[in-house]
């Protein structure tokens, strides 16, 4: 069984990524850390706590950075709603966050089990960058580091930048410059994972999970103008799915550098697939869609019946 630590900013697709992780027998979720992103930290942390209770998870949630390293906070509340979960209102969680800051929680958890923890980041990379600055050996101690962020074509925050990278480009720069090999799930890949009406039909019958969370969340998420017609892209779950079943994805070695100073291109993940480039990342390019949705549906079924 793989042990996963999820750094996130719930967020609708973050909520689905947490459900996938919890419902997968191949994974043990050892912790969830929160960061400001889709909405502020004062929302992402309670959302993470409420989601874990709603799913029946017993897992620590540690609160992280409330703003990017250098820049003013930006949010994606037009896509995820003012609360981060569209129109869904979950009961307030009984549990309190872990007493440690997310940065210390990440370092402690990975240091306690070198080579065993899959660190997956699906929000802005502020916590991960701060953790690397505080404990550079994190880069060698993780089993793998998977990130939802970036793009090798176009962005969604700006024409050049994807949201998670564009929200804190300096942090992303620290993370991609560290001596590890991030597996990057950018928009080119995640836009292949769309919750079409056919996909959503498979969630019917999942009871409270479908009626109170999946359905209203996906209705809200899918109403965003970027997603009309094809269904919303379930970005963050792709990164979790890679930890469970890497064979579902095609990945290609590449050089990824984060633009931090461009007037129009700040937050761009400049990706060079040339064989002679000094590769520092594995970039996901293709997804086996049918098998991906099977994996998600089966995980959601387990969450719904637990
Ligand atoms: C990413 O940005 C957020 O809005 C989503 O949760 C996802 O992590 C997609 O660009
Ligand atoms: Ca996210």
């Amino acid at each position: 069984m793989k042990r996963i630590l999820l750094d996130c900013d719930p967020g609708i697709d973050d909520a689905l990524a947490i459900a996938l992780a919890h419902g997968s027998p191949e994974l043990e979720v050892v912790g969830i850390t929160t960061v400001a992103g889709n909405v502020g930290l004062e929302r992402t942390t309670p959302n993470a706590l409420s989601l874990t209770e709603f799913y029946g998870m017993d897992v620590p949630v540690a609160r992280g950075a409330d703003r990017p390293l250098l820049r003013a906070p930006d949010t994606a509340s037009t896509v995820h709603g003012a609360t981060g979960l569209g129109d869904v209102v979950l009961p307030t969680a009984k549990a309190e966050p872990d007493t440690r800051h997310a940065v210390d929680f990440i370092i402690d958890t990975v240091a306690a089990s070198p080579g065993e923890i899959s660190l997956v980041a699906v929000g802005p990379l502020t916590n991960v960058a701060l953790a690397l600055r505080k404990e550079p050996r994190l880069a060698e101690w993780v089993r793998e580091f998977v990130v939802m962020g970036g793009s090798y074509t176009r962005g969604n925050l700006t024409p050049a930048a994807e949201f998670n990278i564009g929200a804190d480009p300096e942090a992303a720069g620290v993370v991609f410059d560290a001596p590890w090999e991030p597996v990057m799930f950018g928009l080119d890949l995640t836009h292949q994972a769309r919750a079409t009406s056919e996909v959503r039909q498979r969630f019917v019958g999942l009871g409270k999970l479908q009626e109170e969370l999946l359905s209203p969340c996906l209705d809200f998420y899918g109403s965003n103008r970027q997603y009309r017609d094809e269904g919303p892209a379930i970005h963050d779950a792709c990164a979790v799915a890679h930890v469970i079943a890497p064979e579902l994805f095609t990945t290609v070695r590449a050089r990824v550098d984060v633009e931090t100073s461009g007037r129009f291109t700040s937050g761009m993940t400049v990706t060079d697939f040339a064989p002679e480039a000094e590769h520092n990342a594995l970039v996901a390019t293709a997804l086996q869609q049918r098998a991906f949705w099977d994996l998600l549906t089966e995980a959601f079924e387990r969450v719904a019946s637990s």
Side-chain angles (χ1 to χ4, degrees), residues 5-11 14-15 18 31-52 59-68 96-98 100-106 119-131:
L5 171 47
L6 188 62
D7 186 68
C8 59
D9 59 337
D14 304 72
I18 295 170
I32 292 179
T33 50
T34 58
V35 67
N38 287 321
V39 285
L41 191 74
E42 73 289 353
R43 297 279 190 191
T44 58
T45 307
N47 284 351
L49 286 163
S50 293
L51 286 162
T52 56
V59 62
V61 172
R63 185 170 33 205
D66 67 355
R67 72 194 75 174
E96 292 286 324
D98 196 272
R100 285 166 290 180
H101 190 281
V103 168
D104 295 311
F105 184 92
I106 291 170
L119 178 61
V120 178
V122 296
L125 290 165
T126 323
N127 288 338
V128 181
L130 289 168

Side-chain angles (χ1 to χ4, degrees), residues 252-267:
V252 182
R253 291 214 144 70
R255 173 80 209 172
V256 178
D257 289 300
V258 180
E259 177 59 77
T260 53
S261 61
R263 187 167 154 218
F264 300 110
T265 53
S266 179

Side-chain angles (χ1 to χ4, degrees), residues 152 185 188-194 234-235 237-239 241-242 245-251 284-293 295-296:
Y152 52 85
F185 282 81
D188 315 281
L189 184 288
T190 63
H191 281 173
Q192 297 169 42
R194 299 212 177 235
I234 308 303
H235 308 279
C238 296
H242 185 263
E247 66 279 5
L248 299 187
F249 302 91
T250 306
T251 53
T285 57
L287 161 71
Q288 292 181 33
Q289 295 187 21
R290 183 82 205 168
F292 172 79
W293 289 114
L295 192 78
L296 243 84

Side-chain angles (χ1 to χ4, degrees), residues 9-14 37-38 76 79-80 121-124 148-150 156-157 162-165 187 190-191 221 226-227 233 235-236:
D9 59 337
I12 290 173
D13 58 326
D14 304 72
N38 287 321
V79 184
H80 297 264
V122 296
M148 189 285 129
N156 56 1
L157 179 64
E162 180 279 332
F163 178 78
N164 287 342
I165 307 297
L187 298 175
T190 63
H191 281 173
Y221 201 33
Q226 65 175 316
Y227 291 138
H235 308 279
D236 294 346

